[in-house]
Amino acid sequence: MKSTRVAVDVGGTFTDICVMDEHTGRISIEKTSSTVDPIDGILNAVDKSKVDLNQVSLFSHGTTVATNALITRRLPRTAMICTEGFRDVIEIRRANKEDLWDIYKDVAPPHVKRRDRLCVTERIDAQGNVVTALNVEEAKQVARTLRRREVKAVAICFMNSYMNPQHEQQMRDILRAEMPEVAISLSSEVMPEIFEHERFSTTVINAACSPVVVDYTKRLGQELKRRGYESDLLLLHSGGGVMTTEAVEHFSARLAGSGIAAGAIASRHIAMLCGFRNSIGLDMGGTSTDVSLAYDGQSRITNDWFIEFGYPIRFSSIEVLTIGAGGGSLAWQDEAGSLRNGPQSAGANPGPACYGNGNMQPTNTDANVVLGRLGTRLAGGQVTLNAELAHEAVRQGVAEPFKLELHDAAQAIVDVANANMADAVRLLSISRGYDPRDFALVSFGGAGALHGVAIAQELSIPAVIVPPNPGVASALGCLLVNIQHDFAESYIKQASDVDIAELEAAFQRLEAEAISHLSHEGVQEQDMVLERTIDMMYQGQWRSLAIPAPRPVQTLDSLIDIFHQEHEREYNYRRMDAPVSVFRLNLKAVGLVAQAELPRHEPTRVIPNPVSHREVWFSKFGACHTPVYERTDLPAGLQLQGPAVIEQLDSTVVVPPQCHADIDEYLNIIIRF
């Protein structure tokens, strides 16, 4: 029996691999440098971890390929076919700006140039009735034009096709006859809902990503198969589930945001193991910090997200807020003379000043070296830090311009970074109606455990959890997911006018489609879980809330009551006298994958000796003679009193003075103050 599971997460600096023995639950990790072609980095990680792919039962992967392609605009030539008169919908957008008051900053151009947005005559009305039949001759001419232009992907986006997909399907068949190899996305399949800009934008991004992602996943799957892996390659998507390579061909844009979703999944799971159903994930890496939130054991989900502002991707996604705060974030002085931190970053190359690659502008990593919180070796010795260069960068960049003592300057750099991250946590918690005091903070990523306690103290969060392998938690998240697809159907009616039998029939259509997809991917019926929600809103609004619905739906009264409660929590008011409308029916289809179980450890009476001591500076306490422990030496049941520094392959944990840390049975460090 195959007994090994492998998960790989590719980051900008390192590729992380997490290998689990299903029999013992033992997890081993490795980190390798990321490569230009991510597949090379993945295979290097497999080789370094000495994994026998013949013995691997599950290989899951969080990828940044789609995200990077969208950020860098390295996309194949993509065309768009629209209803006559609607070719400019994706350029007009919502006519809003990311920074409302910056009149000089323009939104990025659409992913499809205007000359490649072609039109045909057709029209379907808002009830799904054919008003004007598709002009077949025009459609054939468009197909011939796109063939001559050698486009690689086509998005078909007709008005009101979400109510009747007939014309989009006809156009697809005409294209297939002319261009059998081209990647085609239909808006009626990708995102069958009202609001044409969001639907068109999602379909265009899906089409543009398809050739890139399909080529990547096929090459990786073939290489793994050549080395002995026999099962499906599973790819984590933004909604918190995994897809097979077959599903990727139809929903490529779901892989945008793949890696950050893995971290959110891992943080929620780890918090649940520690007994916290409410948790906030703080994933701080080298360039950015990702903040996520789980309430009552469930990750917060959003349909309102994007890689580039102005071009929404309306697939359901775990809500993650990303800011430019990481180990490599640069400290700098603005025009008003204030100290700032990020979003500019030294990246992996040249990296922080202490890397010795020529950068002399101070970073968070340099500040932590000056404060003694970081030692001089990272990633198990793969990276050596030069403390003298860190001191010089902080002195020249902050201490002298602001007339501060060296350690005060380093602390100021860290304080500004912590304030930025605390603000991000506030945006995802307090502004959504959640009280941080009811949550635990899960700090992970290469730098998260250095800053977690300070952020928790700022927000009165009572506990900070640092997982056993914080630097590879995103890879661990890839082991903790199921196959998942999301289906939706527009259903726009006032709640009082809803025919329950009609609504139930619509849900059953979605379920039949979902079961077909899961069966095609080899999921057995007993492993299928179908979860319904209904999007509701006050009549006249355009923002809706997803309300869980039973199987079968027998009445909407109880759901309307829940909607009023959720609306008050989300927006701080309810309107009991206002009519409620139904907007959309949603179905989450889950194919259960045998879950990874982390090993438990019996408490011992062993009290390890520190491997060394060093001076560490803390705000309000000054320099403290601090013991340094090796993480692998800390047994379950151990209690440590701060100050303490705990070093390991993928991260460094700081326990400040007047804090105490407990090691639980899963070897998580739980810090309280």
Side-chain angles (χ1 to χ4, degrees):
M1 293 291 291
K2 299 182 179 184
S3 59
T4 304
R5 294 188 184 196
V6 176
V8 177
D9 179 61
V10 178
T13 307
F14 290 107
T15 294
D16 303 328
I17 186 168
C18 188
V19 182
M20 170 177 276
D21 185 317
E22 292 182 352
H23 295 320
T24 64
R26 180 179 177 275
I27 291 177
S28 58
I29 64 170
E30 287 291 350
K31 297 177 80 73
T32 63
S33 297
S34 295
T35 52
V36 175
D37 185 344
I39 293 176
D40 294 334
I42 292 170
L43 298 177
N44 290 341
V46 169
D47 292 339
K48 187 175 180 180
S49 59
K50 298 179 180 177
V51 171
D52 180 359
L53 289 173
N54 288 289
Q55 299 303 315
V56 173
S57 61
L58 182 149
F59 194 110
S60 59
H61 174 32
T63 175
T64 56
V65 168
T67 309
N68 292 342
L70 291 169
I71 291 172
T72 61
R73 291 290 182 114
R74 292 176 182 169
L75 297 164
R77 187 170 183 177
T78 303
M80 183 179 181
I81 304 175
C82 313
T83 304
E84 185 68 45
F86 291 89
R87 69 190 296 200
D88 293 322
V89 166
I90 62 170
E91 192 151 8
I92 297 170
R93 305 181 321 277
R94 289 289 176 187
N96 54 357
K97 288 194 168 196
E98 191 168 21
D99 187 343
L100 183 63
W101 308 112
D102 188 346
I103 62 173
Y104 299 104
K105 184 178 180 181
D106 294 325
V107 176
H111 294 89
V112 179
K113 295 180 179 179
R114 195 170 194 270
R115 65 174 176 266
D116 289 331
R117 304 199 297 262
L118 306 183
C119 297
V120 296
T121 301
E122 71 85 34
R123 196 58 185 263
I124 288 172
D125 67 17
Q127 283 70 48
N129 303 311
V130 176
V131 176
T132 304
L134 176 69
N135 188 317
V136 175
E137 286 307 313
E138 282 186 17
K140 290 181 178 179
Q141 181 57 44
V142 165
R144 288 191 288 268
T145 300
L146 295 181
R147 185 191 63 190
R148 288 196 301 271
R149 294 182 184 180
E150 298 182 344
V151 300
K152 303 300 182 185
V154 180
I156 302 175
C157 302
F158 291 165
M159 282 299 296
N160 296 323
S161 61
Y162 67 95
M163 294 299 295
N164 182 350
Q166 175 185 340
H167 288 174
E168 286 194 350
Q169 292 169 352
Q170 281 183 262
M171 187 71 241
R172 176 193 59 197
D173 295 341
I174 292 169
L175 273 176
R176 282 268 183 256
E178 197 71 38
M179 309 168 69
E181 299 302 319
V182 74
I184 301 174
S185 292
L186 308 186
S187 74
S188 56
E189 292 181 355
V190 173
M191 186 52 52
E193 65 173 56
I194 200 172
F195 299 134
E196 60 271 13
H197 170 52
E198 288 76 9
R199 176 159 51 93
F200 289 8
S201 173
T202 304
T203 306
V204 166
I205 291 171
N206 195 74
C209 287
S210 184
V212 176
V213 173
V214 169
D215 173 70
Y216 170 77
T217 56
K218 281 186 175 178
R219 288 193 297 118
L220 177 57
Q222 289 167 358
E223 187 60 34
L224 293 175
K225 185 176 181 179
R226 188 182 69 79
R227 294 184 173 213
Y229 179 61
E230 296 178 348
S231 301
D232 286 329
L233 169 64
L234 299 179
L235 297 122
L236 186 79
H237 61 68
S238 59
V242 287
M243 309 160 63
T244 63
T245 51
E246 271 191 51
V248 168
E249 294 188 33
H250 302 288
F251 301 105
S252 299
R254 296 217 69 175
L255 293 185
S258 167
I260 59 178
I265 293 164
S267 68
R268 180 191 67 200
H269 181 79
I270 289 162
M272 293 283 283
L273 290 179
C274 296
F276 296 94
R277 293 184 62 80
N278 299 341
S279 62
I280 295 169
L282 184 83
D283 182 0
M284 184 179 181
T287 304
S288 62
T289 295
D290 300 321
V291 180
S292 59
L293 183 143
Y295 179 72
D296 197 22
Q298 297 295 320
S299 294
R300 184 178 168 86
I301 301 297
T302 182
N303 289 321
D304 188 14
W305 65 287
F306 53 84
I307 298 299
E308 283 186 291
F309 180 83
Y311 303 101
I313 302 173
R314 289 281 290 179
F315 290 127
S316 294
S317 171
I318 293 177
E319 186 173 20
V320 179
L321 179 62
T322 301
I323 64 168
S329 294
L330 298 171
W332 55 283
Q333 187 175 4
D334 66 14
E335 294 176 355
S338 298
L339 178 63
R340 298 297 186 94
N341 191 296
Q344 303 92 328
S345 175
N349 191 7
C354 56
Y355 279 22
N357 294 330
N359 169 51
M360 282 307 294
Q361 191 170 351
T363 67
N364 292 328
T365 297
D366 297 311
N368 280 308
V369 169
V370 170
L371 294 170
R373 300 175 188 181
L374 273 179
T376 57
R377 297 169 73 249
L378 294 180
Q382 293 184 46
V383 179
T384 301
L385 306 182
N386 188 319
E388 292 182 5
L389 291 176
H391 282 70
E392 189 61 26
V394 172
R395 180 178 293 107
Q396 292 183 8
V398 177
E400 292 177 359
F402 289 93
K403 296 180 173 54
L404 294 172
E405 188 272 331
L406 180 66
H407 296 98
D408 289 339
Q411 185 63 53
I413 293 172
V414 171
D415 286 345
V416 174
N418 290 343
N420 291 340
M421 289 183 280
D423 283 344
V425 174
R426 288 188 183 97
L427 281 173
L428 207 60
S429 57
I430 296 172
S431 67
R432 301 287 197 270
Y434 300 102
D435 188 338
R437 293 172 295 184
D438 297 331
F439 289 74
L441 183 72
V442 183
S443 290
F444 59 105
L450 285 166
H451 296 257
V453 174
I455 294 166
Q457 289 174 328
E458 170 74 15
L459 297 167
S460 299
I461 297 173
V464 177
I465 303 169
V466 182
N469 305 114
V472 297
S474 291
L476 173 64
C478 295
L479 287 178
L480 303 171
V481 292
N482 296 304
I483 294 173
Q484 179 182 314
H485 298 294
D486 296 286
F487 301 88
E489 182 176 313
S490 289
Y491 191 89
I492 305 172
K493 285 190 177 184
Q494 192 167 321
S496 59
D497 296 335
V498 168
D499 183 327
I500 295 297
E502 180 184 70
L503 183 144
E504 182 62 28
F507 266 127
Q508 289 178 9
R509 284 196 301 273
L510 292 176
E511 290 178 350
E513 184 181 0
I515 291 169
S516 174
H517 272 71
L518 293 175
S519 297
H520 186 66
E521 293 175 333
V523 179
Q524 300 300 312
E525 186 174 351
Q526 65 269 20
D527 294 327
M528 298 180 187
V529 177
L530 306 178
E531 299 177 4
R532 299 175 171 187
T533 58
I534 300 177
D535 286 355
M536 292 180 166
M537 57 190 177
Y538 288 120
Q539 189 172 353
Q541 287 186 334
W542 67 277
R543 291 191 182 276
S544 60
L545 293 174
I547 306 302
R551 301 179 63 211
V553 178
Q554 296 177 330
T555 177
L556 289 184
D557 293 344
S558 60
L559 303 187
I560 292 172
D561 290 340
I562 296 172
F563 167 76
H564 288 305
Q565 296 169 20
E566 285 298 297
H567 198 279
E568 183 171 30
R569 185 195 56 74
E570 184 84 10
Y571 300 112
N572 206 31
Y573 76 95
R574 67 171 74 189
R575 295 172 56 194
M576 299 299 295
D577 57 337
V580 175
S581 296
V582 173
F583 171 62
R584 186 176 59 181
L585 310 181
N586 310 296
L587 181 74
K588 181 166 77 172
V590 178
L592 298 177
V593 175
Q595 291 296 293
E597 294 187 12
L598 302 183
R600 296 187 179 192
H601 300 266
E602 291 295 326
T604 70
R605 297 181 180 273
V606 175
I607 300 178
N609 293 318
V611 293
S612 65
H613 289 78
R614 62 172 179 253
E615 295 296 304
V616 181
W617 275 260
F618 294 96
S619 179
K620 300 179 182 178
F621 297 96
C624 299
H625 190 62
T626 303
V628 180
Y629 295 91
E630 183 65 38
R631 180 78 185 257
T632 54
D633 293 340
L634 306 186
L638 179 68
Q639 296 182 335
L640 288 178
Q641 188 66 37
V645 172
I646 303 164
E647 295 182 336
Q648 59 187 109
L649 170 70
D650 54 337
S651 189
T652 299
V653 184
V654 172
V655 183
Q658 297 184 351
C659 298
H660 63 273
D662 298 311
I663 314 299
D664 75 357
E665 60 184 335
Y666 296 101
L667 300 185
N668 297 299
I669 300 175
I670 304 175
I671 305 171
R672 294 182 171 88
F673 44 87

